[in-house]
């Protein structure tokens, strides 16, 4: 797993074409769970991306297997500088004391490359119901304070569609 990932969004047709034109790269096609016509393509190579208008992220923390099947949650938050150290410490502790919640396959903490206050908590689960249980669990409690409008919180959930590598 590289220290950078890139994402782009579009129709399934266009993103599949990009994926096929770059079959040598690790590009994952994902579909938004909320709408049938919203897709995202992730470039996990860490190399200069082939996307014309990417959103790029630095990987700050990662843990678990890189299996993208199932449901993936992307929790977006904006953290003022004074809160970032506390946030990173909480996830570092979570990673080291890792008592993996049932159904969690992997998690990442990302920071947008062009916006140091924009963070993303990425978690991949076997099912939506296991994710819902985690959100109400003691292991999620240290992060619950960020799931408010005070931190610009919003969330998107995606399901794996395909990778030419898998």
């Amino acid at each position: 797993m590289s220290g950078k990932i890139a994402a782009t969004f579009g129709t399934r047709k266009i993103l599949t074409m990009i994926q096929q034109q770059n079959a040598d790269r690790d590009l994952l096609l994902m579909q938004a769970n909320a709408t049938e016509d919203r897709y995202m393509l992730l470039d996990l190579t860490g190399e200069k991306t082939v996307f014309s208008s990417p959103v790029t992220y630095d990987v700050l923390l990662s843990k678990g297997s890189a299996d993208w099947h199932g449901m993936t949650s992307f929790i977006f938050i904006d953290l003022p500088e004074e809160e970032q150290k506390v946030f990173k410490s909480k996830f570092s502790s979570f990673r080291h004391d890792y008592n993996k919640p049932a159904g969690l396959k992997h998690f990442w903490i990302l920071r947008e490359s062009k916006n140091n206050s924009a963070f993303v908590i990425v978690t991949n689960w076997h099912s939506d119901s296991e994710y819902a249980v985690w959100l109400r669990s003691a292991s999620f409690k240290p992060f619950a304070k960020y799931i408010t409008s005070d931190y610009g919180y919003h969330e998107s959930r995606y399901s794996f569609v395909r990778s030419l590598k898998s």
Side-chain angles (χ1 to χ4, degrees), residues 95-107:
R95 182 180 73 184
H96 294 299
D97 300 336
Y98 195 59
N99 184 4
K100 187 170 102 170
L104 176 63
K105 294 192 275 181
H106 71 261
F107 77 85

Side-chain angles (χ1 to χ4, degrees), residues 45-154:
T45 64
E47 301 170 18
K48 185 174 189 229
T49 188
V50 295
F51 304 153
S52 59
S53 55
V55 180
T56 58
Y57 298 95
D58 299 314
V59 179
L60 303 179
L61 292 171
S62 66
K63 182 81 172 185
S65 67
D67 173 5
W68 289 87
H69 294 84
M71 188 279 292
T72 304
S73 167
F74 296 82
I75 296 175
F76 299 87
I77 55 176
D78 292 316
L79 299 176
E81 195 169 327
E82 62 275 6
E83 188 66 38
Q84 291 178 22
K85 195 173 199 175
V86 173
F87 175 78
K88 288 179 199 175
S89 173
K90 287 179 182 187
F91 256 103
S92 184
S93 178
F94 178 72
R95 182 180 73 184
H96 294 299
D97 300 336
Y98 195 59
N99 184 4
K100 187 170 102 170
L104 176 63
K105 294 192 275 181
H106 71 261
F107 77 85
W108 290 354
I109 303 301
L110 310 175
R111 182 173 50 205
E112 193 175 325
S113 298
K114 293 183 178 177
N115 180 355
N116 284 340
S117 67
F119 288 79
V120 186
I121 302 168
V122 180
T123 55
N124 181 263
W125 301 84
H126 290 287
S127 71
D128 286 4
S129 60
E130 291 164 321
Y131 174 67
V133 168
W134 180 60
L135 292 177
R136 296 184 305 274
S137 74
S139 75
F140 183 75
K141 197 170 195 132
F143 316 110
K145 78 175 259 182
Y146 302 110
I147 311 304
T148 68
S149 59
D150 293 343
Y151 294 102
Y153 159 79
H154 68 282

